[in-house]
Amino acid sequence: MRISLTVNGKQYSHDVEPRLSLAHYLREVLNLTGTHIGCDTSSCGACTITLNGDAVKSCTLLAVQADGCEIVTIEGMANGAELHPIQESFKENHGLQCGFCTPGMVMTASDILKNNPNPTEEEIRHGLEGNFCRCTGYHNIVKSIQQAAEKINQ
Amino acid sequence: MGSYIGKSVKRREDARFLKGEGKYTDDIKLPNMTHMAFVRSPYASANVLSVDTSEAEKAEGVVAVFTAEDGCGQYGVPCGWQVNFKNGETMREPQHPLLAKDKIRHVGEPVAIVIAETQALARDAAELVAVEYEELPAVTNPKEAMKDGAPKVHDQFPDNMAFDWCIGNDRAEVEAALEKAHHVTELEFINQRLAPNAIEPRSYIADYDVNGDKWTLYTSTQNPHLIRLLMCAFVLGIPEHKVRVVSYDVGGGFGSKIYHYTEEALVTWVSREIARPVKWTADRSEAFLMDAHGRDHVVKSKMGFDKEGHIVAHLTDEYCSMGAYLSTFAPAIPTYLHGTLFQGLYKTPLIHLNVVAPFTHTVPVDAYRGAGRPEATYLIERLVSKGAKEMGMDPAEIRFKNFIEPFDGVNQPGYQTQVALQYDSGNYAPALEKALDAIGYKDFRKEQAEARKNGKLLGLGISTWIEGCGIAPSAVVGALGARAGLYEVGHVRVQPTGKVSVYTGTHSHGQGHETAFAQFVADRLGIPMDDVEIIHGDTEQVAFGMGTYGSRSLSVGGSAIVKSIEKVLEKGAKIAAHKLEASVEDLEYAGGKWTVKGTDKSISFGDVSLTAYVPHDYPQGLEPGLDFSSFYDPANFTFPFGAHLAIVEVDQDTGKVDLKRFVTCDDVGNIINPMIVDGQIHGGVVQGIGQALLEEVVFDESGQMITGSYMDYAMPRADDLPMIETHNTVTPCPHNPLGVKGAGEAGAIGSTPAVVNAVVDALWHLGVRDIQMPLTPQRVWKAMQQ
Ligand code: FES
Ligand code: FES
């Protein structure tokens, strides 16, 4: 099937198998390997991207379902060498260790802050519910998002 | 102290991860690459009657199909640690085949592999392989496995026993002391099996170069050199120098990526057979079925106390599962990494541990964050708290009473335990005092009583922990059964311009070596951190190494680097002396330059470096270059320690445990980067909380894993947790140059018993004395009803 979509501001058009997941499309076809795959039950959130502005788990969608959509992946967050304030806050607060969950965390954080620019700690934790991190214990991820909120609101 | 050590320098590895530009194995795509899929047994125990690959071979995109008949890796994957029976008999070591031939010993064991043009086509074709099995009875619990008539895992070992083992004082003496003790507290429980679950699934790519008869293996491992050695020498019988093993970015390990796995050898073997690159990446279901698990001990313990609460004896009997085969370090985990910590922080005069290690029809068990030490800490700390409460004593007070007196390992000797090891340095009371102050221990009991009046069940749990890190020296671990040395290699290459490349045999998969190592290297050399790069994870660049596990990287790997730095400075001084027309003895090195003492005559590190590589005006007889490699074999283990405290509230109606606060005070020796150390503690603590409250691998009667996905295996999520309040004390390690001890596993060792002690404390007045982990609402609720 032919699909056309925008990813990180660029137009793409490809023939894809109907069973190809969006996560695999991003990784294998577009070589955007920042979107990670950590599970097969839609539980870990490593594959989180935004689709038409909302955070979604790209492993749960088929590429064909994204036809005509606007997608942002982790590769679309920084502005050249300049990190997005969320990325910057993750760095400043040691919000990542092995980095594998990180793209999903950053994309989820962008969704949390879009819907709620001043989240409480509890709201942040609730918003991160769909994302596993096995390294950080979430402590510094929560702090990173708190600081990102401040930066963005300035 | 220099300008970087002790500072929370932000990590240099972060930029690539934050931009999605990390290079994990599955991100690598090679030209002409094929994909491997497995045909795995759905049974835990079965005879393989026939394997028919004909349909699969004809399927679209299939390149090749292989079974055990094709002769890959006929020796199987080896075990790296030998623990002998108590009677001296050699440990039983079954062959661990790459592909099962006629017998299945755990669910997921592979029977055939399919290689195809894409992953999807390989998986499609794998479905077409027809395997006929005869299902047999299975045993998954290690204690059950030792019963007469239990299903046999390996026919040649009818009693299922891999080995038995004991450590400590004479059993009869310990039993006699328990007889005479004023009070004896007892516990019987299962330290449940856990799945490590690094979020990056394992991934391997082998690329065989026909013309050079060479391989490159990209692998998500914690120790590339070890994999190369084991695979080449023991599994495939190929020359080691023809294989390059690369592990760039690795998405977490926690032990599970130490071991040499069958899949690694299979991709390497297949790549030569088909003369094309081959990739395999586990999906999460395969990770649950195939990654080595942790824990799985069936425990029976007794601890005796005198009238004042001094511990007089401790006796424990355990059944510790090995799983179906012996994984790389498996035999060491419930023995030398477990029994040797039974002293804890206490002066216990008599200790005996007896271990029976059976095979079961399950995926192998090996090191998982803490490896044997969390299991030791859990039972000791539960016994101490339970004993205190039974005797009407304060659980903090009983600990202070039993702590080993402070010793720094320099002015006072190390502490000789009853269980073989000698602790390096320790000062235990201040760590617990600091944690108690931080949590407000004095006021807590009042709060608890108030809360109880209002129908709220609050509890506070204490645990104090110690662990042995950076296991060493090689001669000692060799005597204990290790089939490898446990030293480390550090290579410092000073470039002609004075920039420094450091090659370490340790491996970072989240620990931040690229930053922390550069901090101390820059300080020791007195140069900017930007002038130092840290290289790891590639056998072609790094001469050798033992990798990262057991919290060893800085204490062992860092020390190897320090040794090389010392050699650089020693040779540099000779060059500097020549240039300054002074004698070496008259020079001092500070701030990146050699200065003639008492003068302003000096020469910079950069100038000396250049001179070493452009040796025109140069000391006679001195070799050019400034490039040194060192092996460092530590004098002893290091022994970090600490105190963890948890406050919980238990819901009266549902039994749900709400973790309110978690406070740590850990002593990991000197600290290079506090931000990174705190991060390690946070992560470890949460893994330990996961064991206490949520995680458990469960098998059904037939040996089927019924927790084989994230839908069924509960791991901590952000909203299950409070912030982790970390504090520390510093007791330097006396025997390594950086004075560091190790922080990677600390969190996971201390936290589990703190949480369980807190829940039992909350429910003590209801008669609850113990609850089996994980403390699910159902279990807690049931305990409250009894
Ligand atoms: S890979 Fe999408 S949720 Fe785990
Ligand atoms: S940083 Fe490793 S899983 Fe989150």
Side-chain angles (χ1 to χ4, degrees):
Chain A
M1 274 175 82
R2 186 119 200 121
I3 57 166
S4 302
L5 68 178
T6 311
V7 180
N8 301 333
K10 265 201 223 153
Q11 273 288 132
Y12 295 95
S13 192
H14 283 106
D15 273 322
V16 297
E17 259 193 277
R19 66 171 170 176
L20 184 71
S21 80
L22 180 56
H24 278 103
Y25 173 74
L26 294 169
R27 290 180 57 81
E28 305 298 331
V29 182
L30 302 189
N31 289 318
L32 293 170
T33 53
T35 298
H36 295 155
I37 297 174
C39 73
D40 38 25
T41 48
S42 197
S43 312
C44 78
C47 63
T48 307
I49 55 156
T50 66
L51 183 116
N52 295 339
D54 294 323
V56 298
K57 292 178 172 175
S58 63
C59 72
T60 20
L61 286 175
L62 296 169
V64 293
Q65 290 175 287
D67 186 29
C69 292
E70 188 127 349
I71 285 171
V72 180
T73 69
I74 187 69
E75 288 91 343
M77 291 297 279
N79 187 357
E82 195 189 319
L83 296 178
H84 185 280
I86 298 176
Q87 292 169 315
E88 224 170 69
S89 304
F90 268 70
K91 177 166 179 157
E92 276 163 31
N93 292 284
H94 192 29
L96 64 154
Q97 290 180 24
C98 78
F100 198 79
C101 72
T102 310
M105 288 290 177
V106 170
M107 300 314 289
T108 302
S110 78
D111 192 64
I112 296 174
L113 296 179
K114 186 191 79 179
N115 296 320
N116 180 359
N118 284 306
T120 61
E121 183 195 325
E122 210 186 317
E123 286 166 340
I124 293 173
R125 288 184 180 274
H126 185 67
L128 290 175
E129 218 181 24
N131 293 63
F132 273 138
C133 175
R134 195 62 156 165
C135 296
T136 64
Y138 306 100
H139 180 108
N140 284 340
I141 294 178
V142 172
K143 271 173 61 187
S144 302
I145 299 174
Q146 286 170 328
Q147 197 195 68
E150 280 167 33
K151 280 193 188 189
I152 292 168
N153 293 338
Q154 258 170 24
Chain B
M1 225 177 230
S3 52
Y4 299 109
I5 291 180
K7 297 226 171 81
S8 290
V9 177
K10 306 300 172 225
R11 296 201 322 171
R12 34 168 76 161
E13 37 278 85
D14 287 356
R16 65 176 187 272
F17 294 137
L18 283 163
K19 291 195 285 187
E21 291 167 5
K23 210 189 215 180
Y24 303 92
T25 304
D26 191 57
D27 299 340
I28 299 168
K29 223 193 234 183
L30 300 176
N32 212 19
M33 188 167 77
T34 61
H35 297 262
M36 181 159 91
F38 283 88
V39 179
R40 297 189 181 280
S41 166
Y43 302 111
S45 174
N47 288 321
V48 180
L49 303 179
S50 67
V51 185
D52 179 358
T53 59
S54 54
E55 285 303 307
E57 277 159 28
K58 285 184 270 174
E60 187 195 342
V62 168
V63 177
V65 182
F66 298 103
T67 67
E69 299 296 338
D70 296 301
C72 47
Q74 38 197 311
Y75 312 112
V77 292
C79 176
W81 202 297
Q82 182 178 327
V83 174
N84 289 337
F85 279 83
K86 286 195 279 196
N87 67 10
E89 213 183 293
T90 314
M91 161 182 99
R92 284 145 181 191
E93 215 169 338
Q95 201 202 51
H96 184 179
L98 303 190
L99 292 172
K101 198 168 185 176
D102 35 41
K103 191 111 194 186
I104 295 297
R105 298 187 178 89
H106 68 87
V107 173
E109 202 171 350
V111 180
I113 44 177
V114 176
I115 320 298
E117 298 296 341
T118 69
Q119 190 196 41
L121 291 172
R123 288 183 174 194
D124 286 349
E127 303 267 315
L128 300 175
V129 174
V131 187
E132 214 184 321
Y133 299 95
E134 177 195 6
E135 195 184 357
L136 299 170
V139 62
T140 59
N141 174 301
K143 192 173 173 187
E144 298 294 319
M146 289 310 300
K147 290 197 174 143
D148 281 347
K152 289 195 282 272
V153 183
H154 298 277
D155 291 337
Q156 70 273 37
F157 310 132
D159 61 2
N160 281 331
M161 196 166 0
F163 57 86
D164 65 1
W165 182 85
C166 68
I167 196 168
N169 307 91
D170 180 55
R171 184 176 186 116
E173 221 183 307
V174 177
E175 279 171 346
L178 285 169
E179 285 287 310
K180 280 191 278 167
H182 167 76
H183 178 76
V184 176
T185 189
E186 299 186 29
L187 274 175
E188 260 192 84
F189 63 93
I190 295 173
N191 197 306
Q192 82 272 28
R193 186 182 266 254
L194 303 176
N197 271 309
I199 305 298
E200 178 209 25
R202 285 186 294 123
S203 179
Y204 308 129
I205 304 170
D207 183 13
Y208 179 66
D209 162 12
V210 182
N211 299 317
D213 186 30
K214 279 184 166 181
W215 289 257
T216 304
L217 172 68
Y218 301 91
T219 164
S220 50
T221 184
Q222 301 177 212
N223 28 244
H225 293 88
L226 207 59
I227 298 305
R228 184 176 67 161
L229 174 64
L230 292 174
M231 185 177 78
C232 293
F234 298 98
V235 187
L236 297 179
I238 54 181
E240 200 179 351
H241 64 288
K242 288 186 180 278
V243 178
R244 173 185 177 198
V245 177
V246 182
S247 55
Y248 293 124
D249 290 323
V250 173
F254 316 115
S256 70
K257 291 173 183 164
I258 298 173
Y259 326 116
H260 178 39
Y261 286 95
T262 51
E263 294 95 343
E264 250 162 350
L266 280 168
V267 291
T268 307
W269 181 82
V270 170
S271 181
R272 179 168 62 181
E273 291 298 306
I274 64 169
R276 289 177 65 179
V278 185
K279 179 193 250 186
W280 172 75
T281 300
D283 58 27
R284 184 56 54 186
S285 308
E286 285 181 299
F288 273 106
L289 294 177
M290 297 302 293
D291 291 8
H293 288 168
R295 321 284 189 251
D296 205 2
H297 294 193
V298 177
V299 187
K300 191 172 179 185
S301 283
K302 282 183 187 180
M303 187 176 267
F305 301 85
D306 70 11
K307 260 210 290 301
E308 285 85 44
H310 298 111
I311 305 168
V312 293
H314 171 193
L315 176 67
T316 289
D317 284 286
E318 293 184 287
Y319 295 88
C320 305
S321 179
M322 291 285 107
Y325 303 101
L326 297 178
S327 175
T328 312
F329 286 134
I333 311 309
T335 54
Y336 293 106
L337 294 182
H338 176 62
T340 50
L341 271 302
F342 266 51
Q343 190 79 50
L345 304 175
Y346 311 117
K347 287 173 286 197
T348 313
L350 290 166
I351 301 168
H352 186 87
L353 163 67
N354 186 64
V355 170
V356 175
F359 295 108
T360 59
H361 288 105
T362 61
V363 61
V365 180
D366 207 324
Y368 164 59
R369 204 168 194 168
R373 292 155 290 177
E375 297 91 316
T377 305
Y378 183 77
L379 67 89
I380 296 169
E381 293 304 300
R382 284 284 300 119
L383 286 166
V384 170
S385 279
K386 184 165 175 269
K389 290 178 86 76
E390 283 165 352
M391 294 169 70
M393 289 183 65
D394 180 288
E397 191 195 320
I398 199 167
R399 286 178 165 84
F400 285 120
K401 197 168 268 187
N402 282 284
F403 279 154
I404 295 161
E405 319 301 337
F407 58 104
D408 63 11
V410 182
N411 301 308
Q412 304 94 20
Y415 183 84
Q416 183 56 51
T417 68
Q418 302 297 319
V419 279
L421 299 184
Q422 190 182 70
Y423 293 167
D424 58 348
S425 60
N427 189 5
Y428 307 135
L432 179 55
E433 275 159 18
K434 203 164 171 181
L436 291 170
D437 281 350
I439 211 161
Y441 190 66
K442 287 215 180 83
D443 300 326
F444 176 79
R445 295 293 165 201
K446 262 185 272 158
E447 253 174 72
Q448 186 181 34
E450 273 307 301
R452 226 171 253 170
K453 275 191 229 148
N454 304 323
K456 272 195 180 178
L457 300 170
L458 278 189
L460 186 149
I462 301 178
S463 119
T464 50
W465 62 272
I466 185 161
E467 68 161 322
C469 299
I471 66 171
S474 295
V476 170
V477 295
L480 303 182
R483 290 169 171 169
L486 282 164
Y487 49 82
E488 197 42 81
V489 182
H491 176 184
V492 175
R493 173 172 296 159
V494 182
Q495 311 286 356
T497 52
K499 310 295 180 206
V500 178
S501 304
V502 178
Y503 303 82
T504 173
T506 64
H507 185 277
S508 178
H509 26 282
Q511 298 90 336
H513 296 174
E514 287 164 49
T515 306
F517 282 20
Q519 284 179 251
F520 79 78
V521 171
D523 266 7
R524 288 258 163 169
L525 290 173
I527 59 176
M529 243 183 97
D530 281 347
D531 288 359
V532 181
E533 64 166 345
I534 306 294
I535 296 143
H536 67 87
D538 182 349
T539 59
E540 201 144 274
Q541 295 200 67
V542 182
F544 197 66
M546 299 307 296
T548 285
Y549 38 80
S551 310
R552 69 191 299 275
S553 297
L554 198 54
S555 64
V556 190
S559 301
I561 296 169
V562 170
K563 256 182 101 173
S564 290
I565 291 173
E566 281 164 3
K567 293 178 191 170
V568 163
L569 290 177
E570 200 185 304
K571 183 170 178 184
K574 289 184 190 155
I575 300 170
H578 175 84
K579 293 290 264 187
L580 294 169
E581 296 176 342
S583 74
V584 168
E585 295 73 49
D586 291 336
L587 298 186
E588 59 188 3
Y589 187 76
K593 59 185 181 200
W594 283 271
T595 306
V596 181
K597 284 178 209 156
T599 74
D600 57 1
K601 270 175 64 179
S602 70
I603 183 166
S604 72
F605 181 73
D607 285 340
V608 166
S609 308
L610 191 63
T611 309
Y613 287 90
V614 187
H616 296 165
D617 176 13
Y618 203 66
Q620 230 185 355
L622 193 68
E623 263 181 48
L626 209 44
D627 188 316
F628 287 100
S629 185
S630 307
F631 282 64
Y632 175 80
D633 201 350
N636 189 4
F637 293 53
T638 64
F639 294 91
F641 58 88
H644 288 190
L645 308 181
I647 293 182
V648 300
E649 184 179 337
V650 180
D651 188 299
Q652 296 257 29
D653 302 322
T654 63
K656 185 170 181 321
V657 175
D658 184 10
L659 185 57
K660 295 287 207 203
R661 283 183 72 190
F662 200 94
V663 174
T664 65
C665 180
D666 296 315
D667 192 320
V668 299
N670 288 339
I671 290 176
I672 306 289
N673 185 321
M675 172 189 86
I676 290 177
V677 168
D678 277 347
Q680 289 295 312
I681 303 292
H682 297 152
V685 161
V686 167
Q687 278 179 324
I689 293 170
Q691 171 164 25
L693 298 179
L694 299 162
E695 300 181 33
E696 180 173 29
V697 175
V698 183
F699 298 98
D700 71 8
E701 288 278 290
S702 68
Q704 204 55 243
M705 191 188 300
I706 54 176
T707 51
S709 85
Y710 283 153
M711 309 292 277
D712 307 292
Y713 186 89
M715 292 210 302
R717 293 187 180 273
D719 61 347
D720 296 320
L721 301 158
M723 290 308 225
I724 311 298
E725 304 166 47
T726 53
H727 303 271
N728 67 286
T729 56
V730 176
T731 306
C733 171
H735 63 74
N736 68 46
L738 294 166
V740 295
K741 291 194 169 186
E745 296 157 296
I749 293 171
S751 63
T752 311
V755 174
V756 176
N757 280 340
V759 175
V760 173
D761 180 56
L763 306 178
W764 190 267
H765 63 294
L766 304 175
V768 175
R769 297 295 174 263
D770 189 35
I771 309 176
Q772 171 61 45
M773 292 191 290
L775 273 52
T776 56
Q778 186 200 16
R779 284 193 183 146
V780 175
W781 186 84
K782 267 197 185 154
M784 288 162 70
Q785 309 314 307
Q786 272 158 17

